[in-house]
Amino acid sequence: MTEPQRASAETALRSARFRAAREDAWHRLDEMVSRVEKSGVGTLSASESQELPLLYRSAASSLSVARNIALDRNLLLYLENLTLRAYLVVYGPRTGVARNLAEFLAHGFPAAVRGMRRHLAIAFAVLAAGAIAGYSLVASDISYYDLLVPSFLAGGRGPDSTADELRKVLFAPWPGFVETFIVFANFLFRHNAMVGIFCFGLGVALGAPTILLLAYNGAALGAFFALHARAGLAADLAGWVAVHGVTEILALLLCASAGLVISEKILFPGPESRLESLARHGRVAAGVASGAVGMFFMAGVFEGGFRQLISNTPGRFAFESATAVFWAAYFIFAGRGKER
Amino acid sequence: MTDVEGRLSALIEGVSREQRSIETPEGVSLRVALATRMERVSAFLLDMAFMGAAVFCLCLLIIPLFFSGTDMPIGMTLILFLAFIVRILYFTHFELAWQGATPGKKICGLRVINRSGGPLAPSAVIARNLTREVEFFLPLGIFLSLDASLGVARQLALLGWTCAIAALPLFNRDHLRAGDIIGGTVVISMPKRALKGDLSERGQSADGAAYAFSPSQLAIYGAFELQALEELLRHPPSDLALEEVCGKIRRKIGYAENIERHDVRRFLGDFYAAERAALEHGQLFGHFKADKTSASEPRAKS
């Protein structure tokens, strides 16, 4: 052992021999991964798709071995980098936007909604309580109306409006395609989606603001009804609201339930850590909220366009029943087969 | 080893990136470097620029509408709507199709991955990008539209909300924004690395090594110095620096023989090969020496 050590060609390092034996496979994996990174999974041939996971696993095991026998920094960093890149390709998403969206609508969304029916029931109870409170307040004293309904939503309707004026708003003539479907529907969509999204986003603040926002929106709705009931227009208002209201209120309730799920998982994370619990349930809740935004979009189109097209109360009720039946069937039955 | 690598990257690259480790389903733990906030902002701005260009091209298609007597507000509404659609599809599409990278992220060498190491689920990608809409674009859009009916208080509340959410990555260890928290993802920096030649082979000429070292001379340095020397040999800053290092090593290990100026590279190459052989040999028998100050110690297998 006291003999001076000379590295020579015959006794190449163990790590160098290890590397020489596997280098070709690494380069092959590297080439495939680079190709996928550049132009997608579709560029791999059938046999390459089968080979890729095998090469990935052998690179991962090479990394484990190299960490124990090699001190070549470049080699270690390269293998770690290669394994990580290959890992992202092997375990990365394999489906595109369109297919995911279709799958989400076909079963992900309704299943997620079914999963949060407790929260949905709470949200509905809060909204209903708000509506009843708003109705009885305004019915007992009309001056509460201005307090409960913000002026930009009332559209000029208030305690001073006569029955005729109220009727005129409910059965306004159709102002034309562009004005209704594009401008008004867009305004309504943005306003409603904002309310819904705040209901969801404020779930982060432990749910209290979500509940308050819901109760307040319920109260405004109740106040509106009380105002029209005074003029004997309750049924006509119901028709007017319900054209879009079924879709819109459902969407609002869904946003609020998703917000309540978030706040529940922050308050009571269960056996997981708060972040893990949020990540697991938040994904589902965000899915529901984004589905609800889609529903707001539909509601905006109904409200801005169809309401003016169907200008009699029975017709509106028929349309409303159709949407109610559609949503009920969708959320109760869609995608059941895929659940385990 | 991890701390050796951490010190080396701080020494060589000049930055100490925050590292996290994820475990693949095969049970191999991989170190990943978190993306810095600056990288994420630049990737986001690049993406915004690309999207802006895409929306602009789409807008060229609807220009004829303006000449056919359509009102300005309607045109604006259409543009906003197009921007909305492009934005939603852009991020989601690219993160799904390019294994968690958008064009901006790709240019900056960033990737979105699953925080716990599992597969990146499409639902996670969708959740993190829809949340971006909620946390940032929607309040911003409404604030910018300066809708007078909202009133000053609401405008300020929206601005406050936008700023607070946008600043969220500043306040947590993993630089997560709200969408990352909800989607269970994290953004990492992942530049592509190349495999270079093995220096222990290049150090030798056909007739073997010219310089020889005794075991006691090789027992002085550890993995840290070896890998720093590797970096120096791969990217020598100047001949002068090499000579300086050569002198330091000779003094430290007590190498009496003088080294001619043109032999410096050869000496360092041979020393690297011999030192690596000695350290790797020790490692095989369970003795890992981290650096010159630490004793060689049995290492728990990682």
Side-chain angles (χ1 to χ4, degrees):
Chain A
M1 281 299 279
T2 46
E3 193 85 348
Q5 288 188 352
R6 263 170 209 266
S8 70
E10 300 88 69
T11 61
L13 289 181
R14 200 185 178 84
S15 60
R17 277 180 285 143
F18 167 82
R19 168 185 169 154
R22 288 161 185 77
E23 206 167 347
D24 288 342
W26 300 338
H27 281 304
R28 177 147 175 69
L29 177 63
D30 196 345
E31 187 272 323
M32 271 156 72
V33 170
S34 304
R35 199 139 41 91
V36 171
E37 282 172 347
K38 206 169 159 207
S39 20
V41 192
T43 54
L44 295 180
S45 69
S47 66
E48 282 175 327
S49 303
Q50 288 188 332
E51 203 185 348
L52 184 76
L54 300 179
L55 286 174
Y56 156 70
R57 279 186 195 113
S58 82
S61 92
S62 293
L63 173 65
S64 296
V65 175
R67 277 175 175 163
N68 284 311
I69 69 162
L71 284 171
D72 186 342
R73 179 168 180 262
N74 173 256
L75 173 75
L76 291 171
L77 290 179
Y78 171 77
L79 270 182
E80 187 154 29
N81 185 249
L82 178 65
T83 309
L84 183 59
R85 282 166 57 210
Y87 153 80
L88 291 178
V89 170
V90 170
Y91 289 102
R94 285 289 171 101
T95 47
V97 173
R99 219 175 111 208
N100 276 302
L101 192 67
E103 212 154 281
F104 175 72
L105 289 179
H107 71 272
F109 184 37
V113 170
R114 283 196 289 277
M116 51 179 70
R117 44 178 180 266
R118 270 186 313 124
H119 307 86
L120 194 58
I122 295 174
F124 180 74
V126 170
L127 188 74
I132 292 170
Y135 186 88
S136 41
L137 272 179
V138 175
S140 66
D141 182 355
I142 193 70
S143 58
Y144 278 113
Y145 179 84
D146 288 329
L147 208 66
L148 290 175
V149 181
S151 59
F152 72 99
L153 277 185
R157 285 167 288 180
D160 308 328
S161 315
T162 63
D164 260 0
E165 283 170 355
L166 292 178
R167 198 188 310 271
K168 220 185 259 169
V169 178
L170 295 187
F171 298 104
W174 202 50
F177 176 80
V178 170
E179 187 63 29
T180 49
F181 277 99
I182 298 187
V183 177
F184 193 48
N186 186 61
F187 163 76
L188 290 170
F189 165 65
R190 299 223 312 181
H191 171 261
N192 297 338
M194 264 315 274
V195 173
I197 277 166
F198 272 132
C199 261
F200 168 65
L202 291 174
V204 179
L206 307 185
T210 303
I211 298 276
L212 287 176
L213 203 57
L214 260 187
Y216 169 69
N217 275 283
L221 190 67
F224 223 57
F225 261 98
L227 178 77
H228 287 74
R230 262 175 21 123
L233 286 168
D236 289 327
L237 176 71
W240 185 81
V241 168
V243 168
H244 65 286
V246 171
T247 308
E248 188 181 293
I249 292 174
L250 190 58
L252 180 67
L253 289 175
L254 289 180
C255 281
S257 329
L260 290 178
V261 168
I262 300 271
S263 49
E264 184 193 325
K265 295 306 161 197
I266 292 177
L267 283 173
F268 311 110
E272 300 158 301
S273 80
R274 284 209 161 78
L275 266 184
E276 278 169 17
S277 160
L278 254 185
R280 213 152 62 79
H281 297 93
R283 218 177 290 172
V284 179
V288 169
S290 51
V293 170
M295 288 171 66
F296 277 125
F297 183 69
M298 289 172 67
V301 172
F302 292 162
E303 186 174 3
F306 288 138
R307 184 164 66 201
Q308 267 74 17
L309 274 180
I310 312 169
S311 57
N312 57 77
T313 302
R316 285 174 178 175
F317 272 117
F319 184 79
E320 169 241 322
S321 317
T323 54
V325 168
F326 169 74
W327 289 123
Y330 175 63
F331 285 121
I332 295 174
F333 299 114
R336 283 252 183 217
K338 288 257 194 169
E339 281 176 273
R340 278 167 286 260
Chain B
M1 183 129 77
T2 310
D3 55 333
V4 171
E5 177 50 36
R7 281 165 59 197
L8 275 169
S9 61
L11 177 80
I12 293 161
E13 274 119 41
V15 285
S16 59
R17 281 178 172 281
E18 286 184 69
Q19 308 261 358
R20 297 285 176 272
S21 80
I22 57 168
E23 190 159 320
T24 71
E26 289 76 23
V28 180
S29 85
L30 297 174
R31 274 178 303 117
V32 294
L34 290 186
T36 63
R37 296 165 180 113
M38 270 315 291
E39 283 170 335
R40 294 187 62 175
V41 170
S42 18
F44 180 69
L45 291 179
L46 279 171
D47 282 330
M48 289 292 283
F50 293 140
M51 275 190 297
V55 173
F56 180 76
C57 292
L58 285 173
C59 285
L60 292 183
L61 295 178
I62 62 164
I63 274 191
L65 275 183
F66 287 103
F67 294 107
S68 60
T70 312
D71 292 342
M72 202 57 195
I74 294 169
M76 275 312 289
T77 304
L78 274 177
I79 290 172
L80 283 178
F81 189 71
L82 278 178
F84 174 78
I85 297 290
V86 167
R87 203 161 61 212
I88 291 277
L89 289 182
Y90 177 91
F91 282 107
T92 318
H93 166 74
F94 282 116
E95 285 183 8
L96 284 175
W98 287 6
Q99 287 81 44
T102 58
K105 287 197 180 71
K106 206 169 196 174
I107 291 172
C108 298
L110 304 185
R111 286 294 191 89
V112 178
I113 62 166
N114 183 326
R115 203 156 60 222
S116 53
L120 179 63
S123 65
V125 170
I126 293 174
R128 81 184 290 282
N129 287 314
L130 285 176
T131 318
R132 189 199 313 271
E133 204 58 36
V134 180
E135 63 183 55
F136 192 66
F137 283 116
L138 211 69
L140 186 72
I142 298 212
F143 174 73
L144 289 182
S145 73
L146 288 175
D147 190 341
S149 64
L150 283 179
V152 178
R154 275 189 192 219
Q155 294 280 0
L156 285 180
L158 282 170
L159 185 65
W161 164 277
T162 312
C163 291
I165 296 285
L168 194 62
L170 298 177
F171 297 111
N172 64 73
R173 231 163 41 96
D174 291 348
H175 313 178
L176 305 177
R177 64 176 179 80
D180 287 320
I181 296 177
I182 284 177
T185 52
V186 64
V187 181
I188 59 165
S189 160
M190 202 179 67
K192 200 166 148 177
R193 286 182 191 275
L195 181 61
K196 295 168 187 160
D198 192 324
L199 285 178
S200 71
E201 284 169 353
R202 204 185 300 168
Q204 301 158 13
S205 41
D207 54 337
Y211 300 95
F213 306 91
S214 73
S216 59
Q217 283 176 324
L218 294 176
I220 291 171
Y221 289 120
F224 175 73
E225 290 80 15
L226 178 75
Q227 295 186 345
L229 177 62
E230 175 192 335
E231 187 59 32
L232 186 78
L233 288 172
R234 288 194 196 278
H235 310 282
S238 65
D239 282 349
L240 208 68
L242 286 181
E243 277 171 44
E244 200 178 315
V245 170
C246 175
K248 274 188 183 163
I249 291 176
R250 276 180 52 230
R251 275 194 301 281
K252 182 90 183 173
I253 66 173
Y255 196 87
E257 215 178 304
N258 212 30
I259 308 294
E260 293 299 324
R261 177 165 291 185
H262 56 87
D263 278 338
V264 163
R265 272 171 199 265
R266 181 130 196 232
F267 172 81
L268 287 176
D270 283 352
F271 179 70
Y272 171 81
E275 180 71 66
R276 198 174 121 197
L279 287 174
E280 285 183 354
H281 184 78
Q283 205 175 10
L284 276 182
F285 288 91
H287 302 292
F288 178 72
K289 187 167 159 53
D291 60 21
K292 61 188 175 191
T293 58
S294 60
S296 130
E297 57 187 30
R299 179 162 68 106
K301 293 230 162 146
S302 52

